[in-house]
Amino acid sequence: MGTSINKRSNIKESNIGIATILAFAMIPVSGFATDIYLPSLPGMTSALGITNSQAQLTLSLFLISYGVSQLFVGGLLDSYGRYKISMVSMFICCISCVIVANTHSIYVIYAMRIVHGITMAAMVVSKRAFFVDLYSGEKLKHYLSYFTIIWSTGPIIAPFIGGYLEVTFGWESNFYFLGGFAGLLFILELIFGGETIKHTTPFHPRAIFSIYYTMARTSSFTLGIGMLGLAYSMVMVYNMSGPFIIEHYFNLSPVITGYCSLFLGLAWMAGGFLGKGLINKPFVKKMNINVALQFLAASLLLLTFILFGGLWTILVFAFLVHVGAGFTYNNYFTYCLQKFPRNAGIAGGLTGGVCYVIVSILSYSLIYLLPAKDGHNLSYSYLLLIIISGMVMYRVRMLDK
């Protein structure tokens, strides 16, 4: 059982501890990018004169670009290093946030959200690889198991802050906040960061494609990514529909939307802690129980909403579904990232990239087919995703036998 720290490139020895904290601080940035302005979605539709689906598309475009970019950025990071690419991305991300906050053109916002996805992909994937560069054995497994937990701070904190920003300053303030966060990380990385890659892989597209092909042919790996996409889609379906249900169906304020998102963000974090606490328990058994409990919670959401129709019915049972989603994500994320340690950048990029492409397609398709109007459609979306998760998990179990 190794707990060693690997040989490093040019990052200073004295800065390793602070750099590790900064790497963890970078992990939830994608969650901030999706969740900080969730309470502002209905307000954006009014301020910009756009439809609900156009506002929701700003989320989907970010997810698609974030996911697709991760498919390619891993190879660049393994060939040219982590640090410079990450720094340039942070700077561009900061500028693009300011542009969003100063335009009222939905098409400019669409373009900048795509830029957000590309830059944040480079930032987050570089920091995933950071841990594989510096740590190994049980120490690495320990840190990887924290990823879901740390990431969940974004969905917990961001909508809570965003609700108050929306009410006090308007929707633009959310993007000033996001840009300021990226700018702060840029300054701290400039002071304490450094390159961490141990061995670079020559940038030969054919060789890199061969690595991608090998990973893609590993069925347990690709199905594991599918489970990640299904788990996060449960969260994203709520993120895209919840603000409209709360502010239009229940006629409540964006601040209440923020509190509700904070509450459900805690569910994702609880699932991550539960996954870490049960990390050494039999994998198949705990995942079977998890899916069964999720199905029960989604069914009770549908039943209780039909009987009572209150916001509490959505929050209580969606909380349980999201705990299960966080549990699934924690287990399968560690499962996927440990399969190809010699190509950490590519593996991390492929894992996150395909996951987010799945999330963007599934969540937007479900919202289109089952529009955000009440708890009925939300429960139907949950049930469909949970049933598919059970089928995929069954296939993974057969491959691992």
Side-chain angles (χ1 to χ4, degrees):
M1 270 191 344
T3 58
S4 62
I5 295 178
N6 295 329
K7 183 180 178 181
R8 292 169 288 278
S9 182
N10 66 0
I11 188 170
K12 293 182 180 178
E13 181 77 27
S14 59
N15 288 344
I16 292 295
I18 297 176
T20 300
I21 294 171
L22 289 175
F24 274 125
M26 189 81 74
I27 297 299
V29 71
S30 63
F32 268 91
T34 56
D35 289 49
I36 187 71
Y37 75 113
L38 289 180
S40 294
L41 285 176
M44 286 177 68
T45 62
S46 300
L48 300 175
I50 58 177
T51 64
N52 292 355
S53 61
Q54 285 179 303
Q56 291 164 338
L57 187 57
T58 62
L59 281 171
S60 296
L61 287 174
F62 169 80
L63 292 172
I64 291 171
S65 63
Y66 182 68
V68 172
S69 298
Q70 289 184 68
L71 299 177
F72 302 101
V73 75
L76 294 172
L77 292 169
D78 282 349
S79 296
Y80 299 110
R82 330 296 192 192
Y83 185 64
K84 289 182 180 179
I85 293 175
S86 177
M87 292 295 288
V88 170
S89 297
M90 276 183 266
F91 181 78
I92 295 174
C93 178
C94 184
I95 298 301
S96 63
C97 288
V98 175
I99 293 173
V100 171
N102 285 276
T103 183
H104 277 71
S105 169
I106 187 61
Y107 298 104
V108 173
I109 294 173
Y110 286 161
M112 291 302 101
R113 291 298 283 163
I114 292 171
V115 171
H116 287 165
I118 296 169
T119 55
M120 289 186 187
M123 292 157 60
V124 172
V125 175
S126 69
K127 292 310 174 184
R128 290 180 193 154
F130 170 96
F131 289 95
V132 183
D133 289 342
L134 296 185
Y135 302 100
S136 61
E138 289 300 313
K139 189 84 167 180
L140 174 61
K141 186 177 180 180
H142 172 75
Y143 280 141
L144 290 180
S145 69
Y146 271 120
F147 274 21
T148 302
I149 297 169
I150 298 296
W151 179 88
S152 65
T153 58
I156 290 172
I157 298 171
F160 176 71
I161 296 171
Y164 281 102
L165 289 175
E166 161 67 18
V167 170
T168 308
F169 302 108
W171 67 268
E172 298 92 341
S173 59
N174 293 299
F175 291 95
Y176 280 123
F177 182 92
L178 186 61
F181 184 69
L184 177 62
L185 289 176
F186 176 84
I187 294 170
L188 292 174
E189 282 285 341
L190 199 62
I191 298 170
F192 299 107
E195 185 55 67
T196 60
I197 193 168
K198 184 179 179 182
H199 302 293
T200 57
T201 302
F203 189 73
H204 299 311
R206 182 177 297 180
I208 292 172
F209 178 79
S210 177
I211 296 171
Y212 276 115
Y213 183 68
T214 299
M215 292 179 181
R217 289 190 64 192
T218 306
S219 298
S220 59
F221 177 70
T222 54
L223 289 172
I225 295 173
M227 287 298 295
L228 294 177
L230 288 162
Y232 191 36
S233 290
M234 297 177 200
V235 174
M236 190 52 57
V237 163
Y238 172 82
N239 286 351
M240 296 175 75
S241 61
F244 295 99
I245 294 172
I246 293 168
E247 295 174 39
H248 290 172
Y249 183 82
F250 291 108
N251 295 313
L252 299 172
S253 77
V255 173
I256 301 301
T257 300
Y259 277 112
C260 292
S261 295
L262 183 151
F263 179 67
L264 294 181
L266 289 171
W268 180 271
M269 177 176 277
F273 275 115
L274 188 61
K276 179 170 176 56
L278 300 176
I279 195 169
N280 293 319
K281 298 295 182 181
F283 188 81
V284 173
K285 182 178 179 180
K286 66 184 178 184
M287 297 311 300
N288 283 339
I289 293 172
N290 180 58
V291 169
L293 291 175
Q294 280 186 299
F295 185 83
L296 177 62
S299 300
L300 288 172
L301 168 57
L302 178 60
L303 178 62
T304 55
F305 193 83
I306 291 172
L307 293 175
F308 304 105
L311 179 58
W312 71 267
T313 63
I314 293 177
L315 293 179
V316 169
F317 295 108
F319 184 92
L320 297 176
V321 171
H322 287 207
V323 168
F327 183 81
T328 297
Y329 202 95
N330 181 282
N331 280 277
Y332 273 99
F333 192 80
T334 303
Y335 174 89
C336 289
L337 256 64
Q338 290 191 114
K339 282 192 170 289
F340 302 99
R342 286 190 61 82
N343 300 107
I346 293 176
L350 190 60
T351 299
V354 175
C355 171
Y356 273 82
V357 170
I358 292 171
V359 171
S360 62
I361 294 171
L362 275 180
S363 59
Y364 195 76
S365 297
L366 284 170
I367 292 298
Y368 179 80
L369 295 171
L370 300 167
K373 60 177 184 177
D374 55 34
H376 295 108
N377 284 353
L378 181 63
S379 61
Y380 292 141
S381 297
Y382 283 152
L383 286 168
L384 182 59
L385 291 169
I386 292 165
I387 290 169
I388 297 173
S389 296
M391 295 167 63
V392 173
M393 198 176 65
Y394 175 78
R395 180 60 180 161
V396 173
R397 185 178 64 187
M398 292 297 101
L399 290 170
D400 283 343
K401 278 188 174 181

